[in-house]
Amino acid sequence: MATTMPRADDAATSAALAALVKELGQENVLVSEEELREYRDPYDYKGSDEYTGSAVVTPRLVEDVQSIVRVANEFRVPLWTFSTGRNFAYGGAAPRVRGSIQVSFREMNRVLEVDDELAYAVVEPGVRFFDLYDHLRAGGYRLWPSIPDLGWGSIVGNTLDSGRGYTPYGDHPTTQCGLEVVLANGELLRTGMGGMSASKSWHLFRESYGPNHSGLFFQSNLGIVTKMGVWLMRAPEVYVSGWATWRDEGASAAVVDTLRELMFEGVIRNYPLVGYGVPTENGRDPSNGGWMVRFALYGREKLVQALHEIVSEALLAIPGVELGRREYRGDDERSAATVHDDKVQGGVPGLELIEWFKELHGEDAGHLDLSSIGPLSGADVVETIRLRREMSERHGVPYTAGIVLLPRTALHICALIFDTNNEEQTRTAYDNYGKMVVELAQAGYPVYRTNIQHMDLVAEQFDFNDHAQRRLNEKLKDLLDPNGILSPGKQGIWPQGMRPARP
Amino acid sequence: MATTMPRADDAATSAALAALVKELGQENVLVSEEELREYRDPYDYKGSDEYTGSAVVTPRLVEDVQSIVRVANEFRVPLWTFSTGRNFAYGGAAPRVRGSIQVSFREMNRVLEVDDELAYAVVEPGVRFFDLYDHLRAGGYRLWPSIPDLGWGSIVGNTLDSGRGYTPYGDHPTTQCGLEVVLANGELLRTGMGGMSASKSWHLFRESYGPNHSGLFFQSNLGIVTKMGVWLMRAPEVYVSGWATWRDEGASAAVVDTLRELMFEGVIRNYPLVGYGVPTENGRDPSNGGWMVRFALYGREKLVQALHEIVSEALLAIPGVELGRREYRGDDERSAATVHDDKVQGGVPGLELIEWFKELHGEDAGHLDLSSIGPLSGADVVETIRLRREMSERHGVPYTAGIVLLPRTALHICALIFDTNNEEQTRTAYDNYGKMVVELAQAGYPVYRTNIQHMDLVAEQFDFNDHAQRRLNEKLKDLLDPNGILSPGKQGIWPQGMRPARP
């Protein structure tokens, strides 16, 4: 399940924590076992304490973050930064190095700015999708956020992990604009046009004069992001949540190809999701192998009707496909949506998926999400389904799938589900996940994001030119964080002195 | 006009050139004064030889590029890389360090791949917009390239300079996907999903596992890009080139706000251009202060008519606005377009703008493009126009403007025109440009791209936290290119030992 991981030095950590209490106040340094329990990996085996920190510190200001990195450098102790720690399937708040000081942004949770005219917000890392949604509703803004499946996560955290949502603004790495970053040496950097103090365009223009640094802080341990601009969607007059269902897997290729072309045309502007064996309310019966895809249309009424006719004609030309739709007019109607698919495609945050998960699998169930990237071609998606199902059966894992359709890729997500009270079942799931990562890589399907236990293994699959990307990341790590204080091991990037032996 | 610039060491350069002749063959090492003339800054004063190289080398393979950096490291000589060197207003092929060895990609000009289904191409840096367009037409692909104003430039070069086009794929930094880069130490890096040898998604998915490196190679001297994926647009059934004209500058704010909302809605998906005092054929009279904006609509006939009704209704509600349109059905009709605005919005490359420029100003006229970024708000655009006109008049420069409407910013471009045979006139234009860069920065409008003579000055304006971006760029430069061989001074990034004294 994991190689033996480094541990933080106890004496250095104690000294660092004493200094942090002085800097931040006792109330921002949590150390009791009870308080820390919440910051463990929620989907690790319950009896394990492998991925646990020694304390959680909660900065409230950018200056607090700078104090934290100063102390960490002084005492040479590892930090592990997270936004809200709700990304359960990928490890939650838990660190890779046992005994790390966990840096929680839950208390840095202000929406710093909303510009209704130019349709963007500036948020701190602790702002949850719920918070921004509430803020926009309360302020009467004509703006929708893009949200992922669960509304409790951090906007910054999700975006920096290359997360996705399901409105036309669902490509979160592309709809962010303008980061503020505390580097490991405590210096403050603003990316892009934010590099000019007087600039009016920090959160409006994505490029830099000279190299663009923002990518360096995605899935990264090269800096700590303390502010982010996020582009928002103008609220449409009408919003249609549509779906198609079919039973014959043979139709899946045609459905994918049809949707890709509608996306290329600009008819469908959001990110559709193909589902198999996962619960939704749209007439699909997960028990009998039925398939569904959801999509959405937005705009003026007349236009949306014309768009819907085009989509319907195209999808109904595929034998066996049936269609459904629900329509929302005005922002109040959309905000009252209760169906999960309608909420996520309408930028309304919720917790339905985790509630269903608990209902179906029990309070102590965990899951790992195996998320790989392949071409958005019907033939390739069907081949991936075949491969994924064969792999799953071979490893004794039930095959379910959520396939997000991005502009040119299909993001194929399967959940491996287990009982976290059952050590053997849990370890078997982690083992199977690891085997499937390697099998997928051999077939050309990279996993683009992973849990803390598999970060090294996934990095290992990026093998081009003897792992040129990893070597570059290690060089950057040594340059920008010579003491290795920032989230050691994140995405398989270890600082000097902690790098695992490699063949 | 420029501070005294460093010069390459003559003896080292001679030795390096001898080695390069052995590596690449004499035919790929140009040294005669006549051959090199074409690689000077075309818009510098004709009598100046300040920005001249000592030789032009032309790699034909990635391995040649690796040989070139190996030799440059061995003899510690500066290279200056360009793709085709056609970016005249920003310096063409000319180096910042006199006597640099210029690396020309004109002979590495293959379209390596076109995928019609997934709508992308992979190109070498010497591929011009003309070349890709011809390749797509000849192959019968259902794909349009996005092109900038002049078709003779390199796709890679334009993109890496954060250039723009005018179709819905005109945001070139965002429609690129997957770079191959030769680093200064000769190592080959593939960005994003290209980091996995077997990956099927190198040119399909923009993000990385771990930090995203691609931004590091934009407006950059941290590596040499040797391949790039570029996303292409599915050819639409119908394409409408539309425009609006008005005489009262007071209407400009309403036009901008209206277009921004139509862009937010997804009704207008391309990047409109507002023009003042620059020639087009669409009923605008540049001699009397008239304004125009062009935009385009794409898709199925029925849909395009509905979109056009929405746009027309919105624009005609503004007093004094008149509309025009031309429609193209099918790819043959669009490819036969002759009007510049219709060509650029239809992805058909041309040279109209430079031909008009020469007609209006003479064969030896030069220009500098002052390109700044501001918010896409009608009020702000009008304020910028006022500021730009006042500045231009104060510096004795006629005010003309092309304002590209990007999703949340207005990219305001004014040309400073001069006779390159007239030293005083040329130097005055460069001086005025520099003064206006500073005035614009003070008003909050960053210049995002500039000519070789003003690169340090523009970098100087990015002053946040004592030039944190520049300090980071210098650290990265020292890390990745310790001998300072790659394009020293590009975008104001100098290697150790060549950094200008700063206050």
Side-chain angles (χ1 to χ4, degrees):
Chain A
M1 163 169 182
T3 52
T4 307
M5 282 297 138
R7 296 180 177 221
D9 179 88
D10 285 345
T13 303
S14 298
L17 287 174
L20 286 169
V21 167
K22 274 191 204 151
E23 295 275 353
L24 307 176
Q26 187 68 65
E27 69 279 15
N28 292 311
V29 182
L30 317 180
V31 290
S32 78
E33 200 174 323
E34 203 185 321
E35 285 171 313
L36 296 190
R37 194 173 307 279
E38 181 180 349
Y39 299 91
R40 290 184 168 209
D41 183 346
Y43 292 161
D44 197 6
Y45 166 55
K46 287 260 183 296
S48 159
D49 57 3
E50 192 165 3
Y51 296 100
T52 49
S54 56
V56 171
V57 295
T58 51
R60 286 160 194 266
L61 301 166
V62 173
E63 291 73 16
D64 293 345
V65 179
Q66 292 175 303
S67 300
I68 292 166
V69 301
R70 193 175 55 242
V71 168
N73 274 307
E74 188 183 338
F75 296 95
R76 302 282 199 278
V77 293
L79 305 172
W80 183 266
T81 306
F82 59 91
S83 298
T84 62
R86 297 295 183 192
N87 204 3
F88 280 13
Y90 297 111
R96 289 211 55 187
V97 174
R98 188 168 167 185
S100 293
I101 297 174
Q102 291 163 279
V103 181
S104 165
F105 275 105
R106 288 192 193 174
E107 301 298 331
M108 246 174 99
N109 56 5
R110 290 172 299 171
V111 177
L112 298 169
E113 186 187 347
V114 176
D115 189 314
D116 199 44
E117 183 184 29
L118 293 168
Y120 72 91
V122 184
V123 295
E124 291 184 331
V127 174
R128 304 169 310 155
F129 291 97
F130 280 129
D131 302 325
L132 180 59
Y133 171 81
D134 290 343
H135 188 94
L136 295 173
R137 285 280 292 166
Y141 296 106
R142 303 164 296 141
L143 297 170
W144 287 13
S146 165
I147 58 154
D149 286 314
L150 296 173
W152 67 6
S154 152
I155 300 166
V156 171
N158 174 280
T159 300
L160 296 181
D161 212 29
S162 295
R164 255 73 189 179
Y166 304 104
T167 73
Y169 281 67
D171 183 1
H172 296 170
T174 306
T175 51
Q176 66 74 29
C177 184
L179 304 177
E180 180 182 85
V181 185
V182 172
L183 298 175
N185 63 4
E187 284 188 21
L188 208 57
L189 177 80
R190 290 183 172 172
T191 64
M193 296 296 116
M196 179 180 287
S197 308
S199 165
K200 298 182 175 190
S201 306
W202 182 18
H203 303 297
L204 300 176
F205 187 74
R206 275 192 296 253
E207 279 69 51
S208 297
Y209 174 75
N212 192 334
H213 306 114
S214 54
L216 291 181
F217 305 104
F218 279 68
Q219 297 195 356
S220 163
N221 55 12
L222 302 175
I224 299 178
V225 173
T226 49
K227 287 185 183 69
M228 185 182 84
V230 52
W231 289 359
L232 302 169
M233 176 179 168
R234 178 71 75 229
E237 188 177 292
V238 170
Y239 152 49
V240 165
S241 171
W243 62 91
T245 57
W246 64 100
R247 299 173 77 84
D248 175 12
E249 194 165 305
S252 302
V255 170
V256 167
D257 287 334
T258 299
L259 289 169
R260 183 195 61 239
E261 292 302 315
L262 293 169
M263 292 167 76
F264 280 166
E265 273 191 73
V267 168
I268 291 180
R269 293 190 294 125
N270 82 324
Y271 300 97
L273 177 81
V274 172
Y276 173 84
V278 284
T280 76
E281 301 97 325
N282 289 331
R284 186 167 46 86
D285 176 1
S287 63
N288 71 359
W291 289 83
M292 67 86 71
V293 65
R294 72 173 185 224
F295 58 87
L297 306 168
Y298 313 84
R300 305 195 193 194
E301 187 178 354
K302 191 175 100 174
L303 204 55
V304 167
Q305 304 315 334
L307 295 172
H308 195 266
E309 278 170 33
I310 291 172
V311 175
S312 301
E313 196 186 337
L315 286 172
L316 289 174
I318 304 166
V321 168
E322 290 174 27
L323 297 185
R325 61 177 277 181
R326 270 183 298 272
E327 186 170 320
Y328 298 88
R329 278 146 202 274
D331 218 40
D332 285 337
E333 232 179 81
R334 153 263 189 181
S335 296
T338 54
V339 176
H340 173 74
D341 288 336
D342 300 5
K343 290 176 73 176
V344 288
Q345 294 186 117
V348 182
L351 292 176
E352 297 80 20
L353 285 201
I354 198 146
E355 284 155 10
W356 290 336
F357 180 75
K358 286 182 182 172
E359 232 171 79
L360 280 165
H361 304 288
E363 277 293 323
D364 289 335
H367 64 98
L368 297 175
D369 287 352
L370 186 64
S371 305
S372 69
I373 297 287
L376 187 62
S377 141
D380 198 286
V381 168
V382 165
E383 168 60 21
T384 309
I385 290 167
R386 194 203 55 72
L387 173 71
R388 286 275 201 147
R389 181 185 282 121
E390 182 275 317
M391 267 173 35
S392 299
E393 282 167 5
R394 185 155 35 84
H395 295 297
V397 178
Y399 177 69
T400 63
I403 307 174
V404 187
L405 308 190
L406 302 174
R408 278 159 183 79
T409 43
L411 165 51
H412 206 120
I413 308 168
C414 302
L416 281 71
I417 299 165
F418 47 89
D419 177 356
T420 59
N421 292 314
N422 182 328
E423 183 166 9
E424 197 196 329
Q425 208 186 97
T426 305
R427 300 216 180 281
T428 301
Y430 281 81
D431 285 348
N432 284 336
Y433 183 103
K435 289 174 193 160
M436 292 198 276
V437 162
V438 175
E439 289 174 30
L440 283 168
Q442 284 164 351
Y445 300 104
V447 163
Y448 84 108
R449 181 186 192 188
T450 196
N451 51 73
I452 52 173
Q453 291 82 358
H454 290 103
M455 284 179 172
D456 292 358
L457 180 71
V458 173
E460 185 65 30
Q461 311 311 308
F462 285 81
D463 62 337
F464 176 76
N465 190 19
D466 193 18
H467 303 86
Q469 285 194 10
R470 188 171 64 195
R471 276 184 287 121
L472 177 55
N473 285 330
E474 289 175 348
K475 276 190 189 180
L476 293 169
K477 184 68 177 168
D478 293 343
L479 173 75
L480 297 175
D481 180 15
N483 297 326
I485 59 160
L486 298 184
S487 301
K490 186 162 168 58
Q491 248 66 26
I493 306 167
W494 291 97
Q496 230 162 358
M498 292 177 96
R499 278 171 204 144
R502 288 175 195 134
Chain B
M1 164 168 181
T3 51
T4 308
M5 283 297 138
R7 294 178 179 222
D9 180 88
D10 285 346
T13 302
S14 298
L17 287 173
L20 286 168
V21 167
K22 273 190 205 151
E23 294 277 352
L24 307 177
Q26 186 67 64
E27 68 281 15
N28 292 312
V29 182
L30 317 180
V31 289
S32 78
E33 200 174 325
E34 201 185 322
E35 284 171 312
L36 297 191
R37 195 172 307 278
E38 182 180 349
Y39 299 91
R40 290 184 168 209
D41 182 347
Y43 293 162
D44 197 7
Y45 166 55
K46 287 263 183 296
S48 159
D49 56 4
E50 193 164 2
Y51 296 100
T52 49
S54 56
V56 171
V57 296
T58 52
R60 287 160 194 267
L61 301 166
V62 173
E63 291 73 17
D64 293 344
V65 179
Q66 292 175 303
S67 300
I68 292 166
V69 300
R70 193 174 55 242
V71 168
N73 274 308
E74 187 182 340
F75 295 95
R76 301 280 199 281
V77 293
L79 304 172
W80 183 266
T81 306
F82 59 91
S83 298
T84 61
R86 297 294 182 192
N87 203 2
F88 280 12
Y90 296 111
R96 290 211 55 189
V97 174
R98 189 168 166 183
S100 293
I101 297 173
Q102 291 162 280
V103 181
S104 165
F105 274 106
R106 289 192 193 172
E107 301 298 332
M108 246 173 99
N109 56 4
R110 290 172 298 171
V111 177
L112 297 169
E113 186 187 346
V114 176
D115 189 312
D116 199 44
E117 183 184 29
L118 293 168
Y120 72 90
V122 184
V123 296
E124 292 185 328
V127 174
R128 303 169 309 155
F129 292 96
F130 280 129
D131 301 326
L132 180 59
Y133 171 81
D134 289 344
H135 188 93
L136 295 173
R137 286 280 293 164
Y141 297 106
R142 303 164 297 140
L143 298 169
W144 288 13
S146 165
I147 58 152
D149 286 314
L150 297 173
W152 67 6
S154 152
I155 300 166
V156 171
N158 175 281
T159 300
L160 295 181
D161 212 29
S162 294
R164 255 71 190 179
Y166 304 103
T167 74
Y169 281 67
D171 183 359
H172 297 170
T174 306
T175 51
Q176 65 76 30
C177 185
L179 304 178
E180 180 183 84
V181 186
V182 173
L183 298 174
N185 63 4
E187 283 188 23
L188 209 56
L189 177 80
R190 289 182 174 173
T191 65
M193 297 297 115
M196 178 180 289
S197 308
S199 165
K200 297 181 175 190
S201 305
W202 182 18
H203 303 296
L204 299 177
F205 187 74
R206 276 191 297 251
E207 279 68 52
S208 297
Y209 175 75
N212 192 332
H213 306 114
S214 53
L216 291 181
F217 306 104
F218 279 68
Q219 296 195 356
S220 165
N221 53 14
L222 301 175
I224 299 177
V225 173
T226 48
K227 287 184 183 67
M228 185 183 84
V230 53
W231 289 0
L232 303 169
M233 175 179 167
R234 178 71 75 228
E237 188 178 294
V238 169
Y239 152 49
V240 165
S241 172
W243 63 92
T245 57
W246 65 99
R247 301 174 76 85
D248 174 13
E249 194 165 304
S252 302
V255 169
V256 167
D257 287 335
T258 300
L259 289 169
R260 183 195 60 238
E261 292 301 315
L262 293 167
M263 291 166 77
F264 280 166
E265 272 191 74
V267 168
I268 291 181
R269 294 190 293 123
N270 82 324
Y271 299 97
L273 177 81
V274 172
Y276 173 83
V278 283
T280 77
E281 301 97 327
N282 288 332
R284 186 168 45 85
D285 176 0
S287 62
N288 71 358
W291 288 82
M292 68 85 73
V293 65
R294 72 173 184 222
F295 57 87
L297 305 168
Y298 312 84
R300 304 196 194 192
E301 186 177 358
K302 190 175 98 171
L303 204 56
V304 167
Q305 304 314 334
L307 296 171
H308 195 265
E309 278 169 34
I310 291 172
V311 175
S312 301
E313 197 185 338
L315 286 172
L316 290 174
I318 304 166
V321 167
E322 290 174 25
L323 297 184
R325 60 177 277 180
R326 271 183 297 272
E327 186 170 320
Y328 298 88
R329 277 145 203 275
D331 219 41
D332 284 338
E333 231 178 84
R334 154 262 190 182
S335 297
T338 53
V339 176
H340 173 73
D341 289 335
D342 301 4
K343 290 176 72 175
V344 287
Q345 293 186 118
V348 182
L351 292 175
E352 298 80 21
L353 286 201
I354 199 148
E355 285 156 10
W356 290 336
F357 180 77
K358 286 183 181 172
E359 232 170 78
L360 280 165
H361 304 286
E363 277 293 323
D364 289 335
H367 65 98
L368 296 175
D369 286 353
L370 186 64
S371 305
S372 69
I373 297 287
L376 188 62
S377 141
D380 198 286
V381 168
V382 165
E383 168 59 21
T384 309
I385 290 167
R386 193 203 56 71
L387 173 72
R388 287 276 200 143
R389 181 186 281 122
E390 182 275 316
M391 267 172 37
S392 298
E393 282 168 4
R394 185 154 36 82
H395 295 296
V397 177
Y399 177 68
T400 63
I403 307 174
V404 187
L405 308 190
L406 302 174
R408 278 158 183 79
T409 43
L411 165 51
H412 206 119
I413 308 168
C414 303
L416 282 71
I417 299 165
F418 47 88
D419 177 354
T420 59
N421 292 314
N422 181 327
E423 183 166 10
E424 198 197 329
Q425 209 185 94
T426 303
R427 300 216 180 279
T428 300
Y430 280 81
D431 284 349
N432 284 336
Y433 182 103
K435 288 174 192 161
M436 292 198 276
V437 162
V438 175
E439 290 174 31
L440 283 168
Q442 285 164 350
Y445 300 104
V447 163
Y448 85 107
R449 180 185 192 190
T450 197
N451 51 72
I452 52 173
Q453 291 82 359
H454 290 102
M455 285 178 172
D456 291 359
L457 181 72
V458 172
E460 184 65 30
Q461 309 311 307
F462 285 81
D463 62 337
F464 176 76
N465 190 19
D466 193 18
H467 303 86
Q469 285 194 7
R470 187 171 65 196
R471 276 183 289 121
L472 177 55
N473 285 330
E474 288 174 350
K475 276 190 190 179
L476 293 169
K477 184 68 176 167
D478 293 343
L479 174 75
L480 297 175
D481 181 16
N483 297 327
I485 58 160
L486 298 185
S487 301
K490 185 160 170 59
Q491 248 66 26
I493 306 167
W494 291 98
Q496 232 162 358
M498 291 176 97
R499 278 172 204 145
R502 287 175 197 138

